[in-house]
Amino acid sequence: MDKAKLFNEFPPVSTDEWKEKIIKDLRGVDYDKKLVWKTREGFELQPFYRGENLQSLENLNVCPGDFPFLRGKQVKGNNWLVRQDIEVNDITGANAKALDIRMKGVDSIGFKFDDKYKPVAEDIDRLLQNIRADLMELNYDTSHPLEIVKIIDILARKYNRELDQVRGSVNYDPLGYFSTNGKFYESQEIDFQVLEQLFQSSKHLSQLDVLTIDGSIFHNAGSGIVTQLAFALAKGADYMNYLTDKGFEIDEVAPKVRFHFAVGSSYFMEIAKFRAARYLWSNIVNAYGLNDADNATMFIHCTNSEWNKTVYDPYVNMLRTTTENLSAFIAGIESMAVSPFNLTFEQPSPFSERIARNQQLILKGESYIDKVNDPSAGSYYIEELTQQIITEAWKLFLEVDEMGGYFEAFNKGFITQRIKEEAAGRDKEIAQGKRSMVGTNKYPNINEHLEQYTTPGQETVDDTNILRAYRGSMAFEELRLKTDKYALKNQRPRVWMFTYGNLAMRNARAQFAGNFFGCAGFEIINNAGFKDIEAGIEAANKVKPEIVVVCSSDDEYTGNVQKIIAEL
């Protein structure tokens, strides 16, 4: 069939005509209230988007690998580094684990040292035995970053490695540490001197990043996407100001900076967040007089959100990390360390670490997510979201800049106050059931009990000017843990469903009530339905449950509920 003729049979339909049809089908229901989604960031998202929505957007013709890198810095493909972190409590054991996971698909390793440990060359040499620093990325989380950089240099020369091929990072972010601890490692002056020394001593190690700007601290304290992005960029600007004032060229500073973001469960918003982050950072860096546009690229290391992970029904955490991973990979991040599903309540096991690692490997080896650069390009919805995040994050960034930058804004309480307000809004949504956390405030597994009572670690909210990480499920978990503790020595509170009458209504209301009380860890006793209220009263009096929920239709409640109350 002639292609032109085929499409002539379907005349174009305007946006107004689509909307008129939708409004007609809504039959009087308000279009905006029913279908327009208002995000926590203040965006109004339409139920549908069309090609005309792209007409006002910039950067649609920018290709992958081109400034401002909204579509990523890779010209072909979408490969990322599969990272796994190792807590170094024993040098020999950590080395054995590193060698093992390297053979299982990991191409980036993070070594996490205890704060009290000061690295020495002999230890690091043994830690990296049979691991070539020029063939895989090695990252170090230590309270002594300058010593690590010096040791890396010593070992690279000892084994005749090409210095410009030594890849990895040192996790150093004094402003981030200050934000979460209320103090610097030593002092503001000394910490920033260390920062200066890190850049000076690693100039010849061109692929070793010595500043990791942590944006995950905002996410895990309960902030929204615009806020975490704007504040992370503001931190970055403070560092750029300091280093360029000390005489460093922006072209030698920017390539040695990486960002660490947490990825949450808002699937499309997270995709747009990372695209917007690259765009904004490249423009910020360019404002310092950049000579080489390639130096404006943003290296994004990603971990999963801690905020939305749960203690109860922990296998759901696997589903959460899977969708989060997909968001990050579609957006084109550079490296990912997937959180094991049981990280919230115990030391990860070999099983949980394998599942976390394989989530990435499956998305590469079986889903081919690493083959297409910026697969969301041209999506009316994601392109619109990206532009909205760019606009709002830039506004907030400028607001912080007008206060004197990140450090000044933090000292004024602006950073923590905004995040606490956003966190309170998210907590309220969870408490009211407007935000679902499966297994916690919705669809709890009532047969799951913790044998030993352990607090989930919720901290008392205070007025200190510090960012505190917490999880959104903690309030519900505290409630349920109290029930589990009580049930160790007492009869677990029982909720008995008094079901009768209309089948659909009684089942629906029994399900709602079971979900409601199950979230507190109460025992749920459901019933198939009684032929009349007398039979139900007789059965209830035999069981003598602590709580009875009458489940029927509105019409059948009339008169019957009073009688049931009187008899029970």
Side-chain angles (χ1 to χ4, degrees), residues 496 498-499 529-542:
W496 198 82
F498 194 123
T499 52
F530 300 101
K531 62 180 181 179
D532 51 44
I533 64 169
E534 286 73 19
I537 290 170
E538 182 181 356
N541 279 323
K542 288 181 180 178

Side-chain angles (χ1 to χ4, degrees), residues 309-349:
K309 301 305 181 288
T310 59
V311 170
Y312 285 95
D313 216 347
Y315 291 114
V316 178
N317 290 334
M318 293 185 191
L319 304 179
R320 296 183 178 113
T321 56
T322 300
T323 58
E324 291 164 3
N325 299 342
L326 195 54
S327 291
F329 301 152
I330 287 175
I333 55 98
E334 276 65 47
S335 72
M336 181 82 195
V338 177
S339 302
F341 71 90
N342 55 347
L343 185 63
T344 56
F345 57 90
E346 65 182 8
Q347 190 70 22
S349 62

Side-chain angles (χ1 to χ4, degrees), residues 43 87 91 98 108 116 122 137 148-149 186 238 275 293 308 350 354 366 373 387 389 432 436 450-451 481 490 496 548:
F43 306 156
E87 291 189 8
I91 296 294
S108 174
K116 297 179 181 178
E122 292 77 8
E137 186 186 73
I148 277 288
V149 171
E186 297 292 338
D238 271 20
R275 300 168 91 242
N308 67 355
R354 177 170 66 86
E366 298 185 18
N373 194 304
Q387 187 58 50
I389 292 174
Q432 296 177 339
S436 295
L450 297 189
E451 294 180 0
L481 283 164
N490 305 277
W496 198 82
V548 173

Side-chain angles (χ1 to χ4, degrees), residues 416-484:
T416 52
Q417 183 60 33
R418 180 178 176 109
I419 291 176
K420 285 179 180 179
E421 289 175 0
E422 293 181 353
R426 298 172 85 182
D427 292 342
K428 186 176 181 180
E429 289 177 346
I430 294 172
Q432 296 177 339
K434 293 179 180 179
R435 176 194 283 260
S436 295
M437 299 195 81
V438 175
T440 301
N441 73 338
K442 291 285 179 71
Y443 315 117
N445 178 2
I446 60 175
N447 296 316
E448 179 186 16
H449 310 304
L450 297 189
E451 294 180 0
Q452 291 186 329
Y453 176 77
T454 55
T455 174
Q458 185 167 13
E459 298 187 37
T460 303
V461 176
D462 55 37
D463 295 325
T464 56
N465 191 27
I466 293 175
L467 293 178
R468 299 189 185 277
Y470 78 105
R471 292 179 295 104
S473 62
M474 286 166 63
F476 271 93
E477 289 170 355
E478 183 69 29
L479 175 67
R480 191 165 168 182
L481 283 164
K482 286 180 179 178
T483 304
D484 281 354

Side-chain angles (χ1 to χ4, degrees), residues 80-86 101 105-112 136-141 168-171 212 258-260 299-304 329 333-340 353 356-358 360-361 364:
W80 68 90
L81 296 172
V82 177
R83 176 169 163 177
Q84 184 172 332
D85 292 338
I86 298 173
I101 63 176
V106 169
D107 42 29
S108 174
I109 297 176
F111 294 109
K112 301 179 115 178
M136 73 179 305
E137 186 186 73
L138 300 174
N139 308 278
Y140 304 88
D141 188 344
S169 70
V170 174
N171 184 23
T212 302
R258 69 172 55 188
F259 283 79
H260 171 200
F299 187 108
I300 300 176
H301 170 60
C302 205
T303 53
N304 296 104
F329 301 152
I333 55 98
E334 276 65 47
S335 72
M336 181 82 195
V338 177
S339 302
E353 289 183 334
R357 187 170 56 243
N358 287 351
Q360 299 196 61
L361 299 179
K364 275 191 177 187

Side-chain angles (χ1 to χ4, degrees), residues 6 75 79 81 162 207 224 281 292 388 441 477 558:
L6 171 66
V75 176
N79 193 33
L81 296 172
E162 295 291 337
Q207 294 198 60
W281 179 244
D292 186 349
Q388 286 185 302
N441 73 338
E477 289 170 355
T558 306

Side-chain angles (χ1 to χ4, degrees), residues 508-523:
R509 283 170 168 168
Q511 184 181 40
F512 173 84
N515 182 65
F516 180 84
F517 287 103
C519 291
F522 290 7
E523 179 183 351

